[in-house]
Amino acid sequence: MFRRSGSSFDLKSVRDWQLSDDPRRIDWRLAARSGRLCVKEFYEEESDGAAVLVDLSSSLGILDEPGQGILAARQVGATLAWMLSALGIPSLLMTFAERPLHILARPRPSPATSAFEAFFSPPTEEEALARGTNIGLAIAEARKACRWRRLVLVSDFFDPRFQAGRSPFSRNAWIRLYRPLGEAAGDASELLVRDPESGAALRQPWDGAARIAYREREARLEADFRDAQRRGAYYSCLRAREDPRGLYWSFLEALHA
Amino acid sequence: MPEPLLLLGLLLPVAALLFLNLRTFRRVDYPHHLLQPEGRKARTAFLFGAFRTHSDILFDAFFALCLAWALSPLPPGSAGEAAVVDASASMLVGKPGKRALDRAMERLGSDPALKGVPAFVLGSDPAGGPSRLTGIRPSATGSDPGQGAREIESSIPFLGLDPQGLSGLASRGYGKIFLLTDRASLRARGLESIELAPDEEGLGVYFSRLAWEGEAKVFEVSFSYAAEPEDLRLSVYSPTAGVFLALKPEALEIEPFRGGWVFRFQKSGIYRLDIVRRPGEAATSLAFRLLDPGRPAAARGDFSSLVARAFPLLVPASRPQVLLADLPDPGLPRQAREARARGGIVLGTWLTDRGSDLYLDPRLTGARPILSGLPPRAGTGPGREVDLSLTLGPEALANEDLPLAYDGMLQSSLPPPFLTGIPQGGKRLRPIDGILFAEDAFGLLPVNPPASEFFLPQAAMDLGLGLPERRRWPWALLMALGAAAKLLANRAFKGRHHRA
């Protein structure tokens, strides 16, 4: 996913053209030969940074005890940002919910952790009061704040408007924090489900049909990420209370692949 | 435990499961993003919410209820009642008008418990096979029960009682059966025997042995009795007159012994023994057929010819009833067919050089061990045209008891002196002078009630009639409808999402 930049004439990859790509980058000679619209990507001479977005919406609270879920998200995001920084990759660390909450502006690449330590403390009052999720707005704000091509998004992705394939960043890393409903439901046959973001309550039969419906929707969401993964994105799912070290290793491997 | 309580007990686990399921409700925090299928709420809004939630368990409870009802025994009184008159020979013992059959018909008309209850007669089927139930018209038990008894007596052969015939009532949905019988000899769930002659001791006379005594050249027929009867009469059937004629004293010899008699007859024929148990009672008859001991026989092959000569009762004849043959014999099938058409039997012998350590069937050898070769099964293989066959190796031929094997085969092929039941698929029985006759290749063959009709039962026999059977198709249909409803409900609850 991420490569250290080299000469601007070094071909990095050839990939299918996407709507978000500049039409001027289309390789028309290749298009004439292959019948497909493709763009060539080159390594940039100067260092490319990454925008690290951390979702702190209320739905993260389902991951753990109250407050702990959001803290886990912040810690994962901050750890990834620190790893990038330690590797000399400049980053922008931003938390968001319905709107951007906090931006750690352009920490200098350094192995020091001091700039990220605040993210390992419990959420602020503003963060604790955060409600909904608007991933699209956060990505757009990040795009405005930096012109880097890399995006690392840590979220539960419970945002029906979100589409992994529509990111304006050309290199995306999707880190999903997830806890299946079955874990919370246990052996109950009926659930009164309160949405942490909207506060709405829904009486949900938790029978075989409901479980199948849930799994199908879950699989559809997962398929979106797998599709993005096939197009070059990085995707990893971290289950609630799962040791994140595996995620970090996997992220590092992808970084140097 | 009373059956209704037992039935409720069956439902207790279902109720417990339903209750537990109702209690498994939980509040959770979770985004609705993956939960609310499009239109699901709208589609099921008309249904009671709890039903939607618990439809699975409710349907399962419904099925369990259906199964519990379908499998449970019927509560007392919920099944139909039927009265059955025993039409066995023992029902005819006694003075006219006082016989158990007369009392049964009278009871059917007078007993309030039996009023309006469908009545049947369980008796032998004149066409043969197992006993059958015949309905009794209500008028037959009305003002003149004696007339009803006579009608039954004239239409049904009174022989033995086949209790399995009662199981037909259970399958018709009758759960309570009143059996009107002379002496209760059966015990079964749902069966109530009404004893009509509990003090009767039975006729107590029956055959104990029928044999041809070759040395004395007489037939010996032994009878045993439990109590000496008042009178005995012997007669012989006259084919020309078509009736039984009293036997001349010089035609037989009677030797009494303790508990019975031995009758010695010099001539073959069909004989009848009339037994009058007590003064004024009708005679009960037993008939038997004595055939000439000599049997027309023929032999094919050297060894079989030797065997035929060893048995003096096998009389050489051109139309044999006993055909002995050495196997294999290519010309045997045609003669075998002719012999069988005359009611005969074909006995085959395989001679082999091979030794063997097999023994002949002890039923054929009088339990004496006789070595034999490998015995092919009659009716199979190359010797299939024979009825019985022996394969004899060197050891068998060296055994001096070998003739016993042939004697056993010949004895087992003797035609019976009488029948105790109606052969299935045979001709209808012919009543001649008070005796029922079947027919076989040797002529008329008397049919007598079995010995069990003449002696008191030692103990009541437990009978497996089977529990009253409920009609199961309505339950099956109900469960099928329930299953269809469950499928429809599941489909509706899944919503459009699952049809994608």
Side-chain angles (χ1 to χ4, degrees):
Chain A
M1 177 189 67
F2 293 96
R3 282 286 298 267
R4 303 301 301 272
S5 58
S7 164
S8 60
F9 296 102
D10 287 347
L11 180 64
K12 187 177 174 184
S13 65
V14 178
R15 62 169 173 82
D16 285 340
W17 178 77
Q18 298 175 9
L19 280 174
S20 56
D21 291 331
D22 186 344
R24 291 173 298 180
R25 295 181 57 206
I26 294 173
D27 185 332
W28 294 106
R29 286 199 302 178
L30 189 59
R33 285 206 304 274
S34 66
R36 296 166 58 192
L37 293 177
C38 299
V39 292
K40 285 183 177 175
E41 290 185 308
F42 297 92
Y43 292 123
E44 293 181 3
E45 283 187 352
E46 63 180 52
S47 297
D48 196 6
V52 181
L53 308 187
V54 182
D55 180 4
L56 296 184
S57 61
S58 302
S59 59
L60 268 299
I62 67 167
L63 293 175
D64 210 325
E65 297 300 317
Q68 295 301 306
I70 291 176
L71 180 59
R74 282 157 48 98
Q75 290 173 351
V76 168
T79 303
L80 293 174
W82 170 79
M83 286 165 59
L84 290 168
S85 178
L87 289 170
I89 301 172
S91 60
L92 172 148
L93 184 55
M94 182 172 88
T95 58
F96 72 95
E98 286 174 325
R99 55 185 176 75
L101 295 173
H102 181 68
I103 295 178
L104 187 62
R106 296 172 185 268
R108 291 177 61 186
S110 160
T113 58
S114 54
F116 305 96
E117 280 172 359
F119 280 81
F120 289 84
S121 57
T124 63
E125 190 176 344
E126 183 186 21
E127 288 167 347
L129 290 173
R131 281 288 188 180
T133 312
N134 192 339
I135 297 175
L137 177 64
I139 292 176
E141 291 295 323
R143 179 80 283 182
K144 281 184 205 169
C146 69
R147 298 307 299 171
W148 295 322
R149 295 176 301 145
R150 298 159 181 163
L151 170 69
V152 180
L153 177 55
V154 181
S155 171
D156 56 9
F157 294 98
F158 283 135
D159 180 358
R161 295 161 294 187
F162 170 72
Q163 287 181 298
R166 302 191 66 174
S167 167
F169 291 82
S170 55
R171 292 299 183 196
N172 298 289
W174 312 117
I175 314 293
R176 185 169 176 226
L177 306 177
Y178 173 59
R179 185 185 188 196
L181 177 57
E183 276 185 19
D187 57 355
S189 60
E190 183 176 12
L191 304 172
L192 185 63
V193 186
R194 190 186 71 86
D195 191 323
E197 296 186 1
S198 67
L202 171 69
R203 186 175 286 270
Q204 172 73 28
W206 194 235
D207 52 8
R211 287 169 208 229
I212 290 169
Y214 172 83
R215 280 198 291 270
E216 286 188 359
R217 288 177 159 264
E218 167 61 34
R220 196 183 301 172
L221 181 64
E222 188 79 9
D224 285 347
F225 288 117
R226 297 293 174 202
D227 193 39
Q229 205 173 18
R230 279 193 293 277
R231 293 199 301 271
Y234 170 82
Y235 169 68
S236 183
C237 181
L238 184 66
R239 298 286 287 256
R241 297 176 186 173
E242 185 182 345
D243 188 343
R245 281 177 291 184
L247 164 70
Y248 301 148
W249 277 115
S250 156
F251 185 77
L252 273 176
E253 285 171 2
L255 204 57
H256 290 282
Chain B
M1 185 184 289
E3 286 177 344
L5 285 180
L6 200 62
L7 188 62
L8 285 176
L10 280 173
L11 296 177
L12 273 180
V14 177
L17 281 174
L18 188 60
F19 177 74
L20 283 175
N21 193 64
L22 285 170
R23 299 301 301 166
T24 55
F25 171 85
R26 187 171 292 182
R27 295 171 191 273
V28 294
D29 282 353
Y30 205 82
H32 291 175
H33 179 49
L34 296 177
L35 288 184
Q36 183 107 34
E38 303 89 344
R40 176 166 179 161
K41 197 167 182 178
R43 277 176 172 272
T44 56
F46 69 96
L47 287 172
F48 183 51
F51 174 73
R52 184 191 62 181
T53 305
H54 303 295
S55 59
D56 269 358
I57 192 72
L58 287 174
F59 276 118
D60 292 343
F62 169 72
F63 294 141
L65 190 67
C66 289
L67 283 174
W69 275 107
L71 298 180
S72 66
L74 291 177
S78 65
E81 295 179 338
V84 176
V85 176
D86 171 9
S88 62
S90 58
M91 292 287 284
L92 300 179
V93 173
K95 293 180 180 174
K98 298 291 182 187
R99 301 173 305 173
L101 177 65
D102 302 316
R103 294 181 197 177
M105 299 306 288
E106 191 181 334
R107 184 77 175 262
L108 278 177
S110 61
D111 192 335
L114 301 178
K115 283 263 184 189
V117 172
F120 301 88
V121 176
L122 176 66
S124 300
D125 186 348
S131 295
R132 70 170 187 181
L133 288 160
T134 311
I136 300 178
R137 286 180 293 104
S139 59
T141 60
S143 56
D144 187 2
Q147 175 63 24
R150 283 190 291 277
E151 282 179 16
I152 293 173
E153 203 176 339
S154 63
S155 61
I156 294 176
F158 276 59
L159 297 171
L161 173 67
D162 178 9
Q164 287 304 325
L166 293 172
S167 59
L169 286 174
S171 62
R172 291 188 209 177
Y174 292 105
K176 178 79 175 174
I177 299 172
F178 297 101
L179 178 64
L180 289 91
T181 183
D182 52 332
R183 180 69 73 93
S185 59
L186 303 174
R187 197 164 47 204
R189 181 188 175 89
L191 177 73
E192 182 179 328
S193 293
I194 299 176
E195 290 189 330
L196 300 165
D199 301 326
E200 282 289 351
E201 294 171 354
L203 196 62
V205 177
Y206 209 68
F207 304 95
S208 57
R209 180 170 176 268
L210 291 96
W212 163 256
E213 286 299 319
E215 289 183 7
K217 296 192 181 341
V218 290
F219 295 99
E220 276 192 6
V221 180
S222 304
F223 287 87
S224 298
Y225 59 75
E228 192 166 4
E230 173 71 18
D231 190 17
L232 284 180
R233 290 192 294 270
L234 266 169
S235 52
V236 62
Y237 177 67
S238 165
T240 51
V243 292
F244 283 89
L245 303 175
L247 203 60
K248 294 174 184 169
E250 63 269 22
L252 87 158
E253 178 188 332
I254 302 178
E255 180 189 336
F257 63 89
R258 190 177 175 185
W261 317 275
V262 178
F263 297 96
R264 294 196 176 88
F265 301 90
Q266 291 169 354
K267 288 186 179 176
S268 61
I270 299 173
Y271 295 89
R272 187 177 78 184
L273 176 66
D274 297 318
I275 307 144
V276 180
R277 191 181 56 164
R278 290 181 194 137
E281 288 188 359
T284 303
S285 302
L286 290 170
F288 50 96
R289 180 179 68 180
L290 301 176
L291 292 173
D292 283 332
R295 302 177 72 184
R300 293 170 62 88
D302 296 340
F303 186 78
S304 291
S305 299
L306 287 173
V307 172
R309 281 164 52 191
F311 290 89
L313 292 180
L314 294 180
V315 183
S318 56
R319 295 165 59 80
Q321 288 174 352
V322 177
L323 182 60
L324 296 102
D326 291 352
L327 298 176
D329 183 349
L332 181 60
R334 187 178 59 81
Q335 285 204 356
R337 277 197 301 274
E338 291 173 1
R340 283 206 194 90
R342 290 188 287 272
I345 185 170
V346 184
L347 309 179
T349 304
W350 288 81
L351 293 176
T352 176
D353 294 334
R354 206 150 48 92
S356 170
D357 56 357
L358 292 176
Y359 288 86
L360 293 179
D361 188 338
R363 286 173 297 182
L364 297 178
T365 64
R368 297 193 186 195
I370 297 181
L371 277 171
S372 164
L374 185 67
R377 287 193 339 209
T380 61
R384 61 180 176 277
E385 61 274 6
V386 302
D387 299 303
L388 290 167
S389 70
L390 297 177
T391 302
L392 305 177
E395 295 94 335
L397 291 173
N399 192 314
E400 61 183 12
D401 286 333
L402 179 62
L404 283 175
Y406 285 92
D407 188 51
M409 288 201 294
L410 290 169
Q411 292 293 334
S412 68
S413 66
L414 281 174
F418 59 88
L419 297 177
T420 55
I422 305 173
Q424 189 159 15
K427 291 180 181 174
R428 288 181 73 87
L429 298 186
R430 287 167 55 191
I432 299 176
D433 205 5
I435 295 293
L436 291 169
F437 282 98
E439 278 191 67
D440 63 4
F442 302 93
L444 293 174
L445 178 60
V447 179
N448 293 315
S452 57
E453 292 298 315
F454 293 82
F455 297 93
L456 295 179
Q458 294 299 313
M461 182 173 69
D462 284 314
L463 196 62
L465 287 180
L467 292 174
E469 290 183 20
R470 190 194 298 271
R471 284 182 183 148
R472 296 184 191 265
W473 69 263
W475 296 100
L477 180 66
L478 200 57
M479 285 197 284
L481 290 174
K486 183 174 178 177
L487 289 175
L488 288 175
N490 277 348
R491 194 173 172 186
F493 294 163
K494 281 179 184 176
R496 243 176 295 152
H497 177 81
H498 284 267
R499 291 196 292 272

